[in-house]
Amino acid sequence: MAEEFYKNARAYDIAFQDRDFDVECDFMEWCVNKHGKAGKDKMKNKSFIELASGPARHAREMVKRGWQSTALDLSPSMVAFAASEAKRENIKMNTIVGDMAKFNTRKKYTLAATLMESISHLTTNEQMISHFKSIAKCLAPGGVYVLEATHPMFFFPDDEANTWTCKADDLEVEVTFGMPSDKYNSVTQVWDVTTRMRIWEGNNPVRVEQQVSPVRWYLAQEMKALVELSGAFDKYWIYGSSYYIPPQELDDTEDSDAMVFVMRKK
């Protein structure tokens, strides 16, 4: 991870502000009610941990819904920004600097989630299995894990760069994610993905930040195999979006815009 890139935490937050965080939190609560078995008081003892949380918008929203929330991210800059945003919103949220591939928490959670396709930063089977086992250790029995991954139809990126622009207050951010020239290793299934941010802040000159990161997009069958191989969960369900309640099963139509695994701890 390039910490220098993630030091632009506010710009990163603005770049992804267009997601419907309320709806995604509705979906996670639905998952707990539908699939969780964390005791009769599962919605009274509401505790949530967001992995690879970035600015922790989901964790912050869950606090506002009465959940005790924790945000975990590998970047100290992101964790500091998330904590400052929680303070600005006058909410109480725990933060942890940690690696989602392998971590420990003292607290047991009713719900855990890795969202916004952040799981793609785990590029080996060993990392993924370690991740699943770490999740299971931090969940209460019958707790639920929501994992949002890239839909397999997007395994091969477009022939054109994916670029968009967002603005808030005095800051404008143009993001480019993925370039046609990015290299792919067919043996490891890893892409070297270029991410570039062009940042305009007030009257300051444009600032350009760029990094190349290894990314792996998982196919449905291999993800199922890794979940089962981990032995961490007693049952799982696969949905095609986190925007619909009840959600439909994953398929290869345009109605599925993501690959969402919902897992329940033994």
Side-chain angles (χ1 to χ4, degrees), residues 38-249:
K40 293 181 180 180
D41 296 330
K42 62 184 177 183
M43 290 304 287
K44 291 183 179 179
N45 301 320
K46 299 192 296 184
S47 52
F48 170 61
I49 183 168
E50 181 179 7
L51 287 306
S53 62
R57 281 186 176 256
H58 296 94
R60 285 152 45 198
E61 171 60 26
M62 295 297 267
V63 172
K64 298 169 188 176
R65 297 175 180 224
W67 289 73
Q68 296 179 6
S69 287
T70 298
L72 181 149
D73 198 276
L74 187 59
S75 165
S77 298
M78 279 293 182
V79 169
F81 178 78
S84 68
E85 288 296 281
K87 184 177 181 180
R88 183 182 63 81
E89 295 173 344
N90 197 29
I91 60 175
K92 185 177 180 180
M93 181 185 71
N94 298 319
T95 57
I96 301 172
V97 176
D99 186 348
M100 66 174 170
K102 188 175 183 180
F103 63 94
N104 290 292
T105 62
R106 295 179 181 178
K107 185 177 179 63
K108 299 296 183 182
Y109 296 89
T110 308
L111 172 66
T114 306
L115 304 165
M116 298 176 66
E117 305 177 1
S118 297
I119 200 66
S120 63
H121 293 291
L122 300 184
T123 58
T124 69
N125 293 349
E126 291 78 12
Q127 284 181 319
M128 188 65 78
I129 290 172
S130 175
H131 170 76
F132 286 144
K133 289 182 176 180
S134 295
I135 289 287
K137 287 179 181 179
C138 83
L139 283 175
V144 168
Y145 176 41
V146 178
L147 170 61
E148 180 194 39
T150 306
H151 193 292
M153 74 173 72
F154 303 120
F155 186 85
F156 291 100
D158 296 332
D159 292 332
E160 297 181 358
N162 181 17
T163 300
W164 69 95
T165 302
C166 293
K167 186 176 182 179
D169 301 324
D170 64 338
L171 197 149
E172 182 175 351
V173 184
E174 179 192 85
V175 182
T176 298
F177 180 78
M179 301 287 288
S181 58
D182 287 344
K183 294 182 179 180
Y184 174 64
N185 186 315
S186 61
V187 175
T188 62
Q189 296 178 228
V190 173
W191 294 87
D192 290 329
V193 175
T194 302
T195 305
R196 179 186 301 145
M197 287 196 299
R198 292 169 58 86
I199 304 167
W200 293 267
E201 187 169 9
N203 295 320
N204 296 321
V206 62
R207 189 167 79 253
V208 180
E209 302 288 348
Q210 180 171 309
Q211 70 167 3
V212 177
S213 302
V215 169
R216 178 180 176 185
W217 289 299
Y218 290 82
L219 299 175
Q221 296 301 318
E222 64 184 352
M223 184 67 83
K224 288 171 64 176
L226 290 168
V227 170
E228 293 167 6
L229 185 60
S230 74
F233 307 99
D234 71 340
K235 195 169 183 179
Y236 62 88
W237 300 261
I238 312 173
Y239 297 117
S241 179
S242 59
Y243 278 13
Y244 304 104
I245 298 175
Q248 68 174 38
E249 294 184 3

Side-chain angles (χ1 to χ4, degrees), residues 18-56:
D18 60 338
R19 289 180 67 107
D20 198 330
F21 298 96
D22 287 347
V23 170
E24 292 174 343
C25 289
D26 289 343
F27 172 79
M28 290 192 290
E29 290 186 317
W30 178 87
C31 289
V32 173
N33 280 314
K34 179 68 175 179
H35 300 306
K37 288 188 176 180
K40 293 181 180 180
D41 296 330
K42 62 184 177 183
M43 290 304 287
K44 291 183 179 179
N45 301 320
K46 299 192 296 184
S47 52
F48 170 61
I49 183 168
E50 181 179 7
L51 287 306
S53 62

